[in-house]
Amino acid sequence: TARAEAAPSLRIAGSSTVQPVAKVWADSFLPADRYAFSVEGGGSSTGATRVCAPRNDPTHVDIGLMSRQWKSSETTRMDDVYTFECVDSKIRVMQLNVGIDGIAVIVAKDSVAARCLEKESVKGFTMAQLRWIFTDMADAALVADKVNLKSVAPNDNGNGVKEWSDLSRECEQLPINPYGAGHLSGTHDFFGQVVFHENW
């Protein structure tokens, strides 16, 4: 009997936000044996880097998943709205938008943070408060960047530690410990663009 020819591989990697959707697409592709799919995460920057890697590079993927726009350091936009040329490899890639995601800033239920945010004097975060919480900028730099610290942290005791009590005297004097996506993530980039108004 003749040996069955192996299905060509189709390698996909990148955004952990898009990865589950890409896995469903791969699992639903018909006929099922037409391609041997490989779907990995790694973050949007990983997707951008790997789809732009030379085709003979073992890290190259056929589809790079991204939950952010291309950076000018990665590609140059061509004459249409969806073709880009990779800066280093000169490989041309097409950007196809398949969805829009959003970001939520959440706190644990019944936590110090939740109790603080429920206070009448706080009632959630403002964008300026998110900038203050998530930045490593010094207060003077924030003020120079037009952040009104008297409004953001009206009860700041000046000890250099960002505490829930800085937001309101009704909140507990415990440190704020923010956590977010890493620098390879499109979520990180998007958060930076929206909250800090800059391209990270």
Side-chain angles (χ1 to χ4, degrees):
T1 53
R3 249 172 71 185
E5 208 172 295
S9 65
L10 190 63
R11 298 179 64 200
I12 303 168
S15 169
S16 56
T17 303
V18 186
Q19 180 187 3
V21 178
K23 180 75 172 110
V24 170
W25 291 334
D27 291 345
S28 304
F29 191 84
L30 295 175
D33 59 353
R34 185 167 176 191
Y35 292 102
F37 285 96
S38 166
V39 181
E40 303 172 45
S44 293
S45 292
T46 298
T49 300
R50 291 183 66 181
V51 79
C52 281
R55 290 185 185 11
N56 63 352
D57 185 320
T59 66
H60 176 79
V61 294
D62 303 292
I63 299 173
L65 305 173
M66 296 169 58
S67 55
R68 62 164 172 82
Q69 297 297 318
W70 284 100
K71 296 178 182 178
S72 60
S73 61
E74 298 167 332
T75 60
T76 302
R77 183 187 294 269
M78 303 312 289
D79 293 334
D80 57 39
V81 295
Y82 53 87
T83 306
F84 294 79
E85 185 175 84
C86 300
V87 170
D88 293 331
S89 66
K90 302 304 180 195
I91 290 175
R92 291 205 175 173
V93 294
M94 291 176 59
Q95 176 175 297
L96 303 172
N97 295 328
V98 297
I100 299 172
D101 61 350
I103 297 176
V105 176
I106 59 170
V107 297
K109 185 178 180 179
D110 299 325
S111 66
V112 171
R115 288 191 296 275
C116 179
L117 294 174
E118 291 168 353
K119 300 294 184 191
E120 193 62 39
S121 58
V122 181
K123 286 291 185 194
F125 291 122
T126 65
M127 290 298 279
Q129 286 171 330
L130 290 175
R131 284 187 80 183
W132 175 75
I133 289 169
F134 281 91
T135 191
D136 58 0
M137 292 170 68
D139 285 354
L142 284 169
V143 169
D145 206 28
K146 300 190 175 26
V147 174
N148 182 346
L149 291 180
K150 289 186 191 314
S151 170
V152 168
N155 198 45
D156 187 354
N157 61 9
N159 67 357
V161 178
K162 294 176 184 174
E163 299 161 319
W164 293 106
S165 58
D166 294 343
L167 301 178
S168 169
R169 73 186 77 209
E170 294 182 81
C171 299
E172 297 172 60
Q173 190 174 346
L174 291 170
I176 299 172
N177 296 306
Y179 177 80
H183 72 280
L184 293 178
S185 167
T187 303
H188 176 274
D189 293 339
F190 181 74
F191 189 83
Q193 290 166 9
V194 172
V195 176
F196 294 93
H197 311 291
E198 58 188 39
N199 292 320
W200 286 19

